[in-house]
Amino acid sequence: MNQMFSYLFVPAISTKMVNKALTIKQSAIILDLEDSVAHSKKHVAREKVSGYMSELNEWDRQRVFIRINDSESPYFYHDLQLVKVCKPRGLFIPKTEDKNMIKEIATYLADESIALIPLIETAKGIHYSFDIATATETVERLAFGAVDYCLDTNIEVGEGREELLYARSQLVNASAAAKTLPPIDSVFLHLENSNDLIKETTHGRKLGFAGKLAIHPKQVVRINDVYHQENNNRIYEAKEVIRLFENAEKEGKASINVNGRLVDYPVYKQAKKLLQINSESNESK
């Protein structure tokens, strides 16, 4: 399966919205049991998820995730039981704050085929993000939940969203140190503001994120456009750097000029790493 750059939240309670989301082939789908489902309808949503999963073809099954309720809720273990039976592509774990929760979930599921994606949504989660990322080998990557993070830290986000730079950079750094796949960026709430969505997605990509959460189908196209275009350009440039540098190295050279840019061993290694990350992301899908 091709690498996915957008991850679309869909209320699990809505059969109509789930069916529509499944027609969007260039996005991962997150069946949401948490924020978009009323407390009185949690059991109904779980029953619907069981039905959706039983009817999926193999291709769709490889791109469908489930977001469960957090570990402090009375629905947590009911959701985990559902995940264990349904075996989605992966599991988004809200408000993850320490490695013990991740270890507990991994032990309960006892299934390496289900990728764990901790949602980091609090100051404590940011602080312990490396420990969370290295809690178990089934942690595939981290994801950022900026809305709850701002609520927890009393941050008021401005137009440029610079207030979130520390948290975002921390997740990218923790992911790199833990050698997981790069993290997924937070949702963008303003549905009618496509220009700022593009700006924020581009900013996240430059910081080191490798995808973005979405809350509406029309956001998927914008997110994908940013990542596909930039990713294709970077892959092409990396292949050129590797080819030219390896040819030069055979001639005894340790640095060359590629399109006006100095390329030496660190730049060559960076290009190799980019291709490796891209390959691993595609394989994980």
Side-chain angles (χ1 to χ4, degrees), residues 133-170:
T134 55
T136 171
E137 291 185 359
T138 51
V139 173
E140 182 175 277
R141 66 202 325 160
L142 303 176
F144 184 36
V147 177
D148 282 303
Y149 175 72
C150 289
L151 180 65
D152 187 50
T153 56
N154 296 318
I155 287 176
E156 295 183 13
V157 178
E159 184 176 343
R161 299 175 75 81
E162 294 91 350
E163 298 83 359
L164 297 175
L165 179 59
Y166 170 77
R168 281 190 165 124
S169 299
Q170 179 70 7

PDB file of all heavy atoms in Angstrom, residues 133-170:
ATOM      1  N   ALA A 133       7.464   6.440  23.350  1.00  0.00           N
ATOM      2  CA  ALA A 133       7.824   5.931  22.024  1.00  0.00           C
ATOM      3  C   ALA A 133       8.627   4.638  22.103  1.00  0.00           C
ATOM      4  O   ALA A 133       8.604   3.823  21.170  1.00  0.00           O
ATOM      5  CB  ALA A 133       8.608   6.987  21.255  1.00  0.00           C
ATOM      6  N   THR A 134       9.346   4.439  23.193  1.00  0.00           N
ATOM      7  CA  THR A 134      10.180   3.242  23.334  1.00  0.00           C
ATOM      8  C   THR A 134       9.563   2.206  24.277  1.00  0.00           C
ATOM      9  O   THR A 134      10.231   1.247  24.662  1.00  0.00           O
ATOM     10  CB  THR A 134      11.575   3.632  23.865  1.00  0.00           C
ATOM     11  OG1 THR A 134      11.436   4.375  25.094  1.00  0.00           O
ATOM     12  CG2 THR A 134      12.335   4.467  22.851  1.00  0.00           C
ATOM     13  N   ALA A 135       8.302   2.369  24.637  1.00  0.00           N
ATOM     14  CA  ALA A 135       7.662   1.481  25.609  1.00  0.00           C
ATOM     15  C   ALA A 135       7.585   0.043  25.111  1.00  0.00           C
ATOM     16  O   ALA A 135       7.732  -0.907  25.875  1.00  0.00           O
ATOM     17  CB  ALA A 135       6.262   1.998  25.943  1.00  0.00           C
ATOM     18  N   THR A 136       7.322  -0.127  23.815  1.00  0.00           N
ATOM     19  CA  THR A 136       7.202  -1.459  23.219  1.00  0.00           C
ATOM     20  C   THR A 136       7.472  -1.355  21.729  1.00  0.00           C
ATOM     21  O   THR A 136       7.291  -0.290  21.128  1.00  0.00           O
ATOM     22  CB  THR A 136       5.796  -2.050  23.455  1.00  0.00           C
ATOM     23  OG1 THR A 136       5.638  -3.246  22.691  1.00  0.00           O
ATOM     24  CG2 THR A 136       4.721  -1.073  23.030  1.00  0.00           C
ATOM     25  N   GLU A 137       7.894  -2.446  21.129  1.00  0.00           N
ATOM     26  CA  GLU A 137       8.209  -2.434  19.700  1.00  0.00           C
ATOM     27  C   GLU A 137       6.974  -2.218  18.833  1.00  0.00           C
ATOM     28  O   GLU A 137       7.095  -1.895  17.647  1.00  0.00           O
ATOM     29  CB  GLU A 137       8.898  -3.744  19.311  1.00  0.00           C
ATOM     30  CG  GLU A 137      10.308  -3.886  19.897  1.00  0.00           C
ATOM     31  CD  GLU A 137      11.004  -5.135  19.403  1.00  0.00           C
ATOM     32  OE1 GLU A 137      10.387  -5.892  18.619  1.00  0.00           O
ATOM     33  OE2 GLU A 137      12.167  -5.350  19.784  1.00  0.00           O
ATOM     34  N   THR A 138       5.792  -2.397  19.390  1.00  0.00           N
ATOM     35  CA  THR A 138       4.581  -2.194  18.601  1.00  0.00           C
ATOM     36  C   THR A 138       4.169  -0.722  18.504  1.00  0.00           C
ATOM     37  O   THR A 138       3.210  -0.400  17.804  1.00  0.00           O
ATOM     38  CB  THR A 138       3.403  -3.010  19.173  1.00  0.00           C
ATOM     39  OG1 THR A 138       3.277  -2.758  20.569  1.00  0.00           O
ATOM     40  CG2 THR A 138       3.619  -4.496  18.941  1.00  0.00           C
ATOM     41  N   VAL A 139       4.892   0.163  19.199  1.00  0.00           N
ATOM     42  CA  VAL A 139       4.661   1.601  18.997  1.00  0.00           C
ATOM     43  C   VAL A 139       5.261   1.969  17.644  1.00  0.00           C
ATOM     44  O   VAL A 139       6.471   1.960  17.461  1.00  0.00           O
ATOM     45  CB  VAL A 139       5.297   2.449  20.111  1.00  0.00           C
ATOM     46  CG1 VAL A 139       5.171   3.938  19.768  1.00  0.00           C
ATOM     47  CG2 VAL A 139       4.633   2.168  21.447  1.00  0.00           C
ATOM     48  N   GLU A 140       4.401   2.281  16.699  1.00  0.00           N
ATOM     49  CA  GLU A 140       4.862   2.587  15.337  1.00  0.00           C
ATOM     50  C   GLU A 140       5.306   4.034  15.202  1.00  0.00           C
ATOM     51  O   GLU A 140       6.285   4.342  14.543  1.00  0.00           O
ATOM     52  CB  GLU A 140       3.739   2.301  14.343  1.00  0.00           C
ATOM     53  CG  GLU A 140       4.114   2.532  12.892  1.00  0.00           C
ATOM     54  CD  GLU A 140       3.007   2.129  11.946  1.00  0.00           C
ATOM     55  OE1 GLU A 140       2.919   0.929  11.631  1.00  0.00           O
ATOM     56  OE2 GLU A 140       2.214   3.011  11.541  1.00  0.00           O
ATOM     57  N   ARG A 141       4.560   4.933  15.844  1.00  0.00           N
ATOM     58  CA  ARG A 141       4.868   6.363  15.782  1.00  0.00           C
ATOM     59  C   ARG A 141       4.005   7.077  16.813  1.00  0.00           C
ATOM     60  O   ARG A 141       3.077   6.499  17.379  1.00  0.00           O
ATOM     61  CB  ARG A 141       4.601   6.918  14.378  1.00  0.00           C
ATOM     62  CG  ARG A 141       3.154   6.900  13.986  1.00  0.00           C
ATOM     63  CD  ARG A 141       2.904   6.940  12.487  1.00  0.00           C
ATOM     64  NE  ARG A 141       3.841   7.727  11.734  1.00  0.00           N
ATOM     65  CZ  ARG A 141       4.035   7.573  10.417  1.00  0.00           C
ATOM     66  NH1 ARG A 141       3.323   6.668   9.755  1.00  0.00           N
ATOM     67  NH2 ARG A 141       4.885   8.325   9.761  1.00  0.00           N
ATOM     68  N   LEU A 142       4.294   8.343  17.045  1.00  0.00           N
ATOM     69  CA  LEU A 142       3.509   9.190  17.929  1.00  0.00           C
ATOM     70  C   LEU A 142       2.600  10.086  17.096  1.00  0.00           C
ATOM     71  O   LEU A 142       2.821  10.284  15.903  1.00  0.00           O
ATOM     72  CB  LEU A 142       4.425  10.054  18.800  1.00  0.00           C
ATOM     73  CG  LEU A 142       5.460   9.330  19.668  1.00  0.00           C
ATOM     74  CD1 LEU A 142       6.341  10.339  20.387  1.00  0.00           C
ATOM     75  CD2 LEU A 142       4.786   8.389  20.650  1.00  0.00           C
ATOM     76  N   ALA A 143       1.575  10.647  17.727  1.00  0.00           N
ATOM     77  CA  ALA A 143       0.706  11.629  17.085  1.00  0.00           C
ATOM     78  C   ALA A 143       0.446  12.757  18.075  1.00  0.00           C
ATOM     79  O   ALA A 143       0.393  12.539  19.287  1.00  0.00           O
ATOM     80  CB  ALA A 143      -0.606  10.988  16.633  1.00  0.00           C
ATOM     81  N   PHE A 144       0.289  13.960  17.556  1.00  0.00           N
ATOM     82  CA  PHE A 144       0.130  15.145  18.394  1.00  0.00           C
ATOM     83  C   PHE A 144      -1.332  15.565  18.452  1.00  0.00           C
ATOM     84  O   PHE A 144      -1.996  15.682  17.425  1.00  0.00           O
ATOM     85  CB  PHE A 144       0.976  16.287  17.825  1.00  0.00           C
ATOM     86  CG  PHE A 144       0.972  17.545  18.653  1.00  0.00           C
ATOM     87  CD1 PHE A 144       0.943  17.497  20.041  1.00  0.00           C
ATOM     88  CD2 PHE A 144       1.013  18.789  18.041  1.00  0.00           C
ATOM     89  CE1 PHE A 144       0.943  18.661  20.806  1.00  0.00           C
ATOM     90  CE2 PHE A 144       1.024  19.962  18.786  1.00  0.00           C
ATOM     91  CZ  PHE A 144       0.985  19.891  20.170  1.00  0.00           C
ATOM     92  N   GLY A 145      -1.841  15.797  19.664  1.00  0.00           N
ATOM     93  CA  GLY A 145      -3.185  16.328  19.867  1.00  0.00           C
ATOM     94  C   GLY A 145      -3.097  17.730  20.434  1.00  0.00           C
ATOM     95  O   GLY A 145      -3.061  17.913  21.655  1.00  0.00           O
ATOM     96  N   ALA A 146      -3.055  18.718  19.553  1.00  0.00           N
ATOM     97  CA  ALA A 146      -2.789  20.095  19.980  1.00  0.00           C
ATOM     98  C   ALA A 146      -3.940  20.707  20.771  1.00  0.00           C
ATOM     99  O   ALA A 146      -3.704  21.528  21.665  1.00  0.00           O
ATOM    100  CB  ALA A 146      -2.481  20.962  18.757  1.00  0.00           C
ATOM    101  N   VAL A 147      -5.170  20.330  20.464  1.00  0.00           N
ATOM    102  CA  VAL A 147      -6.318  20.962  21.129  1.00  0.00           C
ATOM    103  C   VAL A 147      -6.293  20.675  22.627  1.00  0.00           C
ATOM    104  O   VAL A 147      -6.380  21.589  23.462  1.00  0.00           O
ATOM    105  CB  VAL A 147      -7.635  20.479  20.503  1.00  0.00           C
ATOM    106  CG1 VAL A 147      -8.823  21.090  21.256  1.00  0.00           C
ATOM    107  CG2 VAL A 147      -7.704  20.854  19.024  1.00  0.00           C
ATOM    108  N   ASP A 148      -6.176  19.412  22.987  1.00  0.00           N
ATOM    109  CA  ASP A 148      -6.134  19.056  24.405  1.00  0.00           C
ATOM    110  C   ASP A 148      -4.839  19.529  25.062  1.00  0.00           C
ATOM    111  O   ASP A 148      -4.833  19.855  26.258  1.00  0.00           O
ATOM    112  CB  ASP A 148      -6.292  17.551  24.576  1.00  0.00           C
ATOM    113  CG  ASP A 148      -7.738  17.106  24.434  1.00  0.00           C
ATOM    114  OD1 ASP A 148      -8.590  17.611  25.182  1.00  0.00           O
ATOM    115  OD2 ASP A 148      -8.024  16.272  23.570  1.00  0.00           O
ATOM    116  N   TYR A 149      -3.754  19.566  24.292  1.00  0.00           N
ATOM    117  CA  TYR A 149      -2.485  20.056  24.832  1.00  0.00           C
ATOM    118  C   TYR A 149      -2.617  21.529  25.230  1.00  0.00           C
ATOM    119  O   TYR A 149      -2.150  21.938  26.307  1.00  0.00           O
ATOM    120  CB  TYR A 149      -1.378  19.884  23.805  1.00  0.00           C
ATOM    121  CG  TYR A 149      -0.054  20.477  24.233  1.00  0.00           C
ATOM    122  CD1 TYR A 149       0.718  19.885  25.232  1.00  0.00           C
ATOM    123  CD2 TYR A 149       0.425  21.652  23.645  1.00  0.00           C
ATOM    124  CE1 TYR A 149       1.926  20.435  25.638  1.00  0.00           C
ATOM    125  CE2 TYR A 149       1.629  22.202  24.037  1.00  0.00           C
ATOM    126  CZ  TYR A 149       2.377  21.598  25.031  1.00  0.00           C
ATOM    127  OH  TYR A 149       3.571  22.155  25.429  1.00  0.00           O
ATOM    128  N   CYS A 150      -3.254  22.320  24.394  1.00  0.00           N
ATOM    129  CA  CYS A 150      -3.459  23.734  24.719  1.00  0.00           C
ATOM    130  C   CYS A 150      -4.358  23.886  25.942  1.00  0.00           C
ATOM    131  O   CYS A 150      -4.141  24.774  26.781  1.00  0.00           O
ATOM    132  CB  CYS A 150      -4.066  24.464  23.526  1.00  0.00           C
ATOM    133  SG  CYS A 150      -2.925  24.686  22.149  1.00  0.00           S
ATOM    134  N   LEU A 151      -5.362  23.040  26.045  1.00  0.00           N
ATOM    135  CA  LEU A 151      -6.245  23.073  27.208  1.00  0.00           C
ATOM    136  C   LEU A 151      -5.472  22.749  28.488  1.00  0.00           C
ATOM    137  O   LEU A 151      -5.655  23.399  29.523  1.00  0.00           O
ATOM    138  CB  LEU A 151      -7.382  22.060  27.015  1.00  0.00           C
ATOM    139  CG  LEU A 151      -8.412  21.949  28.136  1.00  0.00           C
ATOM    140  CD1 LEU A 151      -9.196  23.257  28.276  1.00  0.00           C
ATOM    141  CD2 LEU A 151      -9.372  20.791  27.857  1.00  0.00           C
ATOM    142  N   ASP A 152      -4.581  21.787  28.388  1.00  0.00           N
ATOM    143  CA  ASP A 152      -3.808  21.361  29.554  1.00  0.00           C
ATOM    144  C   ASP A 152      -2.782  22.399  29.983  1.00  0.00           C
ATOM    145  O   ASP A 152      -2.487  22.539  31.173  1.00  0.00           O
ATOM    146  CB  ASP A 152      -3.114  20.032  29.237  1.00  0.00           C
ATOM    147  CG  ASP A 152      -2.437  19.432  30.451  1.00  0.00           C
ATOM    148  OD1 ASP A 152      -3.101  19.323  31.514  1.00  0.00           O
ATOM    149  OD2 ASP A 152      -1.252  19.054  30.358  1.00  0.00           O
ATOM    150  N   THR A 153      -2.240  23.143  29.037  1.00  0.00           N
ATOM    151  CA  THR A 153      -1.136  24.064  29.320  1.00  0.00           C
ATOM    152  C   THR A 153      -1.553  25.531  29.341  1.00  0.00           C
ATOM    153  O   THR A 153      -0.723  26.409  29.559  1.00  0.00           O
ATOM    154  CB  THR A 153      -0.024  23.895  28.269  1.00  0.00           C
ATOM    155  OG1 THR A 153      -0.587  24.080  26.957  1.00  0.00           O
ATOM    156  CG2 THR A 153       0.604  22.507  28.357  1.00  0.00           C
ATOM    157  N   ASN A 154      -2.844  25.805  29.072  1.00  0.00           N
ATOM    158  CA  ASN A 154      -3.352  27.182  29.005  1.00  0.00           C
ATOM    159  C   ASN A 154      -2.707  28.002  27.887  1.00  0.00           C
ATOM    160  O   ASN A 154      -2.618  29.229  27.978  1.00  0.00           O
ATOM    161  CB  ASN A 154      -3.157  27.910  30.346  1.00  0.00           C
ATOM    162  CG  ASN A 154      -3.951  27.276  31.466  1.00  0.00           C
ATOM    163  OD1 ASN A 154      -5.112  26.898  31.279  1.00  0.00           O
ATOM    164  ND2 ASN A 154      -3.326  27.115  32.623  1.00  0.00           N
ATOM    165  N   ILE A 155      -2.266  27.322  26.846  1.00  0.00           N
ATOM    166  CA  ILE A 155      -1.685  28.015  25.700  1.00  0.00           C
ATOM    167  C   ILE A 155      -2.797  28.591  24.831  1.00  0.00           C
ATOM    168  O   ILE A 155      -3.790  27.926  24.545  1.00  0.00           O
ATOM    169  CB  ILE A 155      -0.808  27.053  24.868  1.00  0.00           C
ATOM    170  CG1 ILE A 155       0.488  26.747  25.614  1.00  0.00           C
ATOM    171  CG2 ILE A 155      -0.496  27.633  23.491  1.00  0.00           C
ATOM    172  CD1 ILE A 155       1.377  25.740  24.913  1.00  0.00           C
ATOM    173  N   GLU A 156      -2.637  29.847  24.424  1.00  0.00           N
ATOM    174  CA  GLU A 156      -3.534  30.472  23.460  1.00  0.00           C
ATOM    175  C   GLU A 156      -2.794  30.562  22.129  1.00  0.00           C
ATOM    176  O   GLU A 156      -1.810  31.279  22.004  1.00  0.00           O
ATOM    177  CB  GLU A 156      -3.956  31.865  23.941  1.00  0.00           C
ATOM    178  CG  GLU A 156      -4.793  31.845  25.211  1.00  0.00           C
ATOM    179  CD  GLU A 156      -5.256  33.222  25.623  1.00  0.00           C
ATOM    180  OE1 GLU A 156      -5.134  34.168  24.797  1.00  0.00           O
ATOM    181  OE2 GLU A 156      -5.740  33.378  26.759  1.00  0.00           O
ATOM    182  N   VAL A 157      -3.281  29.842  21.161  1.00  0.00           N
ATOM    183  CA  VAL A 157      -2.583  29.743  19.879  1.00  0.00           C
ATOM    184  C   VAL A 157      -2.924  30.920  18.988  1.00  0.00           C
ATOM    185  O   VAL A 157      -4.094  31.245  18.779  1.00  0.00           O
ATOM    186  CB  VAL A 157      -2.947  28.423  19.161  1.00  0.00           C
ATOM    187  CG1 VAL A 157      -2.264  28.353  17.803  1.00  0.00           C
ATOM    188  CG2 VAL A 157      -2.538  27.235  20.015  1.00  0.00           C
ATOM    189  N   GLY A 158      -1.879  31.576  18.464  1.00  0.00           N
ATOM    190  CA  GLY A 158      -2.065  32.694  17.552  1.00  0.00           C
ATOM    191  C   GLY A 158      -2.133  32.237  16.110  1.00  0.00           C
ATOM    192  O   GLY A 158      -2.130  31.039  15.809  1.00  0.00           O
ATOM    193  N   GLU A 159      -2.157  33.207  15.214  1.00  0.00           N
ATOM    194  CA  GLU A 159      -2.332  32.906  13.794  1.00  0.00           C
ATOM    195  C   GLU A 159      -1.192  32.046  13.255  1.00  0.00           C
ATOM    196  O   GLU A 159      -1.409  31.129  12.457  1.00  0.00           O
ATOM    197  CB  GLU A 159      -2.416  34.221  13.000  1.00  0.00           C
ATOM    198  CG  GLU A 159      -2.687  34.023  11.533  1.00  0.00           C
ATOM    199  CD  GLU A 159      -2.866  35.352  10.799  1.00  0.00           C
ATOM    200  OE1 GLU A 159      -3.098  36.371  11.475  1.00  0.00           O
ATOM    201  OE2 GLU A 159      -2.774  35.344   9.554  1.00  0.00           O
ATOM    202  N   GLY A 160       0.037  32.322  13.673  1.00  0.00           N
ATOM    203  CA  GLY A 160       1.180  31.563  13.173  1.00  0.00           C
ATOM    204  C   GLY A 160       1.437  30.268  13.915  1.00  0.00           C
ATOM    205  O   GLY A 160       2.270  29.464  13.496  1.00  0.00           O
ATOM    206  N   ARG A 161       0.739  30.069  15.033  1.00  0.00           N
ATOM    207  CA  ARG A 161       0.830  28.841  15.837  1.00  0.00           C
ATOM    208  C   ARG A 161       2.251  28.560  16.339  1.00  0.00           C
ATOM    209  O   ARG A 161       2.634  27.425  16.591  1.00  0.00           O
ATOM    210  CB  ARG A 161       0.287  27.640  15.046  1.00  0.00           C
ATOM    211  CG  ARG A 161      -1.171  27.802  14.677  1.00  0.00           C
ATOM    212  CD  ARG A 161      -1.694  26.699  13.798  1.00  0.00           C
ATOM    213  NE  ARG A 161      -1.930  25.458  14.513  1.00  0.00           N
ATOM    214  CZ  ARG A 161      -3.006  25.190  15.234  1.00  0.00           C
ATOM    215  NH1 ARG A 161      -3.951  26.106  15.371  1.00  0.00           N
ATOM    216  NH2 ARG A 161      -3.155  24.033  15.825  1.00  0.00           N
ATOM    217  N   GLU A 162       3.046  29.636  16.511  1.00  0.00           N
ATOM    218  CA  GLU A 162       4.400  29.479  17.042  1.00  0.00           C
ATOM    219  C   GLU A 162       4.390  28.925  18.461  1.00  0.00           C
ATOM    220  O   GLU A 162       5.372  28.332  18.903  1.00  0.00           O
ATOM    221  CB  GLU A 162       5.139  30.829  17.041  1.00  0.00           C
ATOM    222  CG  GLU A 162       5.418  31.415  15.669  1.00  0.00           C
ATOM    223  CD  GLU A 162       4.286  32.326  15.202  1.00  0.00           C
ATOM    224  OE1 GLU A 162       3.212  32.332  15.861  1.00  0.00           O
ATOM    225  OE2 GLU A 162       4.477  33.016  14.183  1.00  0.00           O
ATOM    226  N   GLU A 163       3.264  29.126  19.160  1.00  0.00           N
ATOM    227  CA  GLU A 163       3.159  28.670  20.545  1.00  0.00           C
ATOM    228  C   GLU A 163       3.304  27.147  20.666  1.00  0.00           C
ATOM    229  O   GLU A 163       3.588  26.629  21.746  1.00  0.00           O
ATOM    230  CB  GLU A 163       1.819  29.102  21.140  1.00  0.00           C
ATOM    231  CG  GLU A 163       1.624  30.607  21.200  1.00  0.00           C
ATOM    232  CD  GLU A 163       1.120  31.193  19.884  1.00  0.00           C
ATOM    233  OE1 GLU A 163       0.936  30.434  18.915  1.00  0.00           O
ATOM    234  OE2 GLU A 163       0.918  32.427  19.843  1.00  0.00           O
ATOM    235  N   LEU A 164       3.092  26.437  19.566  1.00  0.00           N
ATOM    236  CA  LEU A 164       3.168  24.972  19.588  1.00  0.00           C
ATOM    237  C   LEU A 164       4.514  24.438  19.104  1.00  0.00           C
ATOM    238  O   LEU A 164       4.700  23.224  19.001  1.00  0.00           O
ATOM    239  CB  LEU A 164       2.049  24.381  18.719  1.00  0.00           C
ATOM    240  CG  LEU A 164       0.627  24.677  19.179  1.00  0.00           C
ATOM    241  CD1 LEU A 164      -0.388  24.145  18.166  1.00  0.00           C
ATOM    242  CD2 LEU A 164       0.364  24.082  20.557  1.00  0.00           C
ATOM    243  N   LEU A 165       5.443  25.337  18.805  1.00  0.00           N
ATOM    244  CA  LEU A 165       6.732  24.911  18.242  1.00  0.00           C
ATOM    245  C   LEU A 165       7.483  23.978  19.180  1.00  0.00           C
ATOM    246  O   LEU A 165       8.040  22.957  18.748  1.00  0.00           O
ATOM    247  CB  LEU A 165       7.590  26.135  17.924  1.00  0.00           C
ATOM    248  CG  LEU A 165       8.982  25.838  17.350  1.00  0.00           C
ATOM    249  CD1 LEU A 165       8.880  25.053  16.049  1.00  0.00           C
ATOM    250  CD2 LEU A 165       9.748  27.146  17.135  1.00  0.00           C
ATOM    251  N   TYR A 166       7.511  24.307  20.472  1.00  0.00           N
ATOM    252  CA  TYR A 166       8.250  23.451  21.419  1.00  0.00           C
ATOM    253  C   TYR A 166       7.680  22.038  21.453  1.00  0.00           C
ATOM    254  O   TYR A 166       8.421  21.048  21.343  1.00  0.00           O
ATOM    255  CB  TYR A 166       8.228  24.044  22.832  1.00  0.00           C
ATOM    256  CG  TYR A 166       8.761  23.072  23.855  1.00  0.00           C
ATOM    257  CD1 TYR A 166      10.131  22.856  23.985  1.00  0.00           C
ATOM    258  CD2 TYR A 166       7.895  22.330  24.659  1.00  0.00           C
ATOM    259  CE1 TYR A 166      10.627  21.935  24.898  1.00  0.00           C
ATOM    260  CE2 TYR A 166       8.372  21.412  25.570  1.00  0.00           C
ATOM    261  CZ  TYR A 166       9.737  21.217  25.695  1.00  0.00           C
ATOM    262  OH  TYR A 166      10.228  20.291  26.591  1.00  0.00           O
ATOM    263  N   ALA A 167       6.362  21.939  21.601  1.00  0.00           N
ATOM    264  CA  ALA A 167       5.734  20.614  21.703  1.00  0.00           C
ATOM    265  C   ALA A 167       5.939  19.815  20.430  1.00  0.00           C
ATOM    266  O   ALA A 167       6.270  18.614  20.471  1.00  0.00           O
ATOM    267  CB  ALA A 167       4.246  20.762  21.997  1.00  0.00           C
ATOM    268  N   ARG A 168       5.751  20.439  19.295  1.00  0.00           N
ATOM    269  CA  ARG A 168       5.931  19.737  18.023  1.00  0.00           C
ATOM    270  C   ARG A 168       7.382  19.261  17.866  1.00  0.00           C
ATOM    271  O   ARG A 168       7.627  18.111  17.472  1.00  0.00           O
ATOM    272  CB  ARG A 168       5.559  20.661  16.864  1.00  0.00           C
ATOM    273  CG  ARG A 168       4.062  20.784  16.623  1.00  0.00           C
ATOM    274  CD  ARG A 168       3.821  21.515  15.313  1.00  0.00           C
ATOM    275  NE  ARG A 168       2.455  21.352  14.861  1.00  0.00           N
ATOM    276  CZ  ARG A 168       1.639  22.363  14.605  1.00  0.00           C
ATOM    277  NH1 ARG A 168       2.041  23.599  14.810  1.00  0.00           N
ATOM    278  NH2 ARG A 168       0.417  22.138  14.160  1.00  0.00           N
ATOM    279  N   SER A 169       8.304  20.148  18.146  1.00  0.00           N
ATOM    280  CA  SER A 169       9.713  19.787  18.000  1.00  0.00           C
ATOM    281  C   SER A 169      10.103  18.668  18.963  1.00  0.00           C
ATOM    282  O   SER A 169      10.897  17.788  18.629  1.00  0.00           O
ATOM    283  CB  SER A 169      10.601  21.016  18.246  1.00  0.00           C
ATOM    284  OG  SER A 169      10.326  22.031  17.301  1.00  0.00           O
ATOM    285  N   GLN A 170       9.526  18.688  20.155  1.00  0.00           N
ATOM    286  CA  GLN A 170       9.806  17.642  21.135  1.00  0.00           C
ATOM    287  C   GLN A 170       9.363  16.275  20.615  1.00  0.00           C
ATOM    288  O   GLN A 170      10.067  15.275  20.778  1.00  0.00           O
ATOM    289  CB  GLN A 170       9.098  17.962  22.451  1.00  0.00           C
ATOM    290  CG  GLN A 170       9.298  16.934  23.552  1.00  0.00           C
ATOM    291  CD  GLN A 170      10.716  16.913  24.112  1.00  0.00           C
ATOM    292  OE1 GLN A 170      11.532  17.760  23.771  1.00  0.00           O
ATOM    293  NE2 GLN A 170      11.008  15.943  24.955  1.00  0.00           N
TER     294      GLN A 170
END
